[in-house]
Amino acid sequence: MTLYATSINAEDFILYSYHKVPPFVTNNTTGLTYDLAQQLERMSQGKHRFTVRLVPRKRLNELMTKQKVIVPWVTPVWFKGQGSDSFAWSAPIMIDSSVYIWRSDNPHNYRKPNDLIGTRLGGIRGYKYKGVDDLVKKQQVVRTDTSSEWQVMQMVMSNRVDVAIIPEAGACNLIRKHKLYGKFKISQHHSFTRKLMITGNSDRHLLSYMNNLENDQAWETRLAGYGARITPLGKRDESNYCDETLTTSFLLND
């Protein structure tokens, strides 16, 4: 991993992240979140130093009531009050999707929220699912939550739920890591952009170069190394949604 020179007088910042799975974290100090910290240091030309602190979402919510935070990989609809003056958002730093994922031997297809009516749905605790949450409230869908993407996929594999919704990047990296090709069918639930969120006003000057990530070739290349992206892709074949030929060099070994 390349290290960039940083001034001894550099200003220190913390990236708080609750995304602890590939591609965001692949080992103790590796993964996209750590690469992002280095990329931001490079773009600041040594004026700023970024460290990563992984926290559960509940803990992040508590921190946000007490102090300013910088949080990568998030999107406004996930946070209450996100439209107020106390929040600032970067341009997109990654495009992702949430996906429906179900066992390949399940004869049903899930391509829209109403397809879930009458099913057992697996989800990640604290996550909101567009078009689905109302069905759960109406008791038309039975939702069971767990704390991680891998645990959700295990619920699908063990037939504890019929279908699950998880982020595309996490699904594909776990399929590659655990060599689960052909075990699942996947279709897109909802596409969204991941951004950097800054609370408070004192750190908003950082947005001037955070916003340049969207057009930075080095960043696009780094994302591609993890099978992630910042530019939209065309439609993919459902049977090979997570391309088996994409690199796994950044993923944890079993």
Side-chain angles (χ1 to χ4, degrees):
M1 187 174 291
T2 304
L3 298 177
Y4 299 103
T6 305
S7 167
I8 194 172
N9 296 318
E11 190 175 6
D12 288 307
F13 297 94
I14 296 174
L15 298 180
Y16 290 94
S17 179
Y18 56 89
H19 296 287
K20 300 181 181 181
V21 296
F24 306 107
V25 175
T26 58
N27 212 325
N28 290 335
T29 57
T30 59
L32 266 179
T33 306
Y34 297 93
D35 289 357
L36 175 63
Q38 290 190 7
Q39 183 81 0
L40 292 174
E41 286 184 7
R42 182 185 69 80
M43 298 179 79
S44 77
Q45 298 181 340
K47 296 178 182 177
H48 306 307
R49 181 169 43 236
F50 293 87
T51 56
V52 173
R53 188 168 299 173
L54 301 175
V55 295
R57 173 63 192 264
K58 184 177 180 180
R59 175 59 179 155
L60 175 64
N61 291 342
E62 294 172 355
L63 287 173
M64 289 173 61
T65 67
K66 302 173 183 177
Q67 65 184 68
K68 62 187 180 184
V69 293
I70 303 172
V71 185
W73 316 122
V74 291
T75 196
V77 296
W78 298 346
F79 292 86
K80 293 181 179 179
Q82 47 80 21
S84 70
D85 292 339
S86 61
F87 288 79
W89 299 88
S90 74
I93 59 175
M94 178 179 165
I95 290 178
D96 204 347
S97 298
S98 55
V99 293
Y100 301 108
I101 181 167
W102 65 100
R103 283 168 46 141
S104 58
D105 60 0
N106 181 340
H108 297 284
N109 287 311
Y110 306 97
R111 294 188 175 87
K112 59 184 183 298
N114 281 352
D115 292 338
L116 301 178
I117 292 175
T119 66
R120 300 168 299 163
L121 173 70
I124 299 174
R125 192 171 295 115
Y127 280 34
K128 297 179 179 180
Y129 298 123
K130 184 176 180 180
V132 176
D133 293 340
D134 285 343
L135 297 177
V136 175
K137 289 179 182 178
K138 294 175 182 177
Q139 299 183 335
Q140 293 178 298
V141 174
V142 177
R143 175 172 168 175
T144 301
D145 286 347
T146 188
S147 59
S148 74
E149 294 163 7
W150 178 231
Q151 289 176 341
V152 174
M153 289 181 67
Q154 287 178 308
M155 285 200 300
V156 176
M157 284 190 290
S158 63
N159 204 30
R160 291 170 55 198
V161 296
D162 303 306
V163 58
I165 300 176
I166 59 176
E168 173 190 354
C172 288
N173 276 281
L174 286 167
I175 286 172
R176 294 181 196 117
K177 174 187 172 183
H178 295 285
K179 299 179 176 60
L180 296 173
Y181 303 106
K183 301 293 185 182
F184 300 99
K185 290 182 180 179
I186 294 177
S187 67
Q188 182 171 289
H189 162 247
H190 175 59
S191 183
F192 59 94
T193 55
R194 294 186 182 271
K195 303 180 179 183
L196 279 149
M197 178 183 75
I198 298 177
T199 64
N201 297 313
S202 59
D203 297 335
R204 295 192 180 197
H205 62 286
L206 300 175
L207 290 174
S208 61
Y209 58 87
M210 288 181 175
N211 286 343
N212 290 327
L213 283 169
E214 189 175 19
N215 301 306
D216 188 280
Q217 182 60 51
W219 181 239
E220 186 170 353
T221 299
R222 174 55 62 179
L223 285 171
Y226 291 90
R229 54 196 166 93
I230 198 168
T231 54
L233 289 178
K235 294 182 179 179
R236 282 168 289 181
D237 182 356
E238 183 180 280
S239 64
N240 192 31
Y241 196 97
C242 301
D243 188 351
E244 189 170 355
T245 64
L246 287 174
T247 179
T248 58
S249 61
F250 293 100
L251 302 181
L252 282 169
N253 293 322
D254 290 335

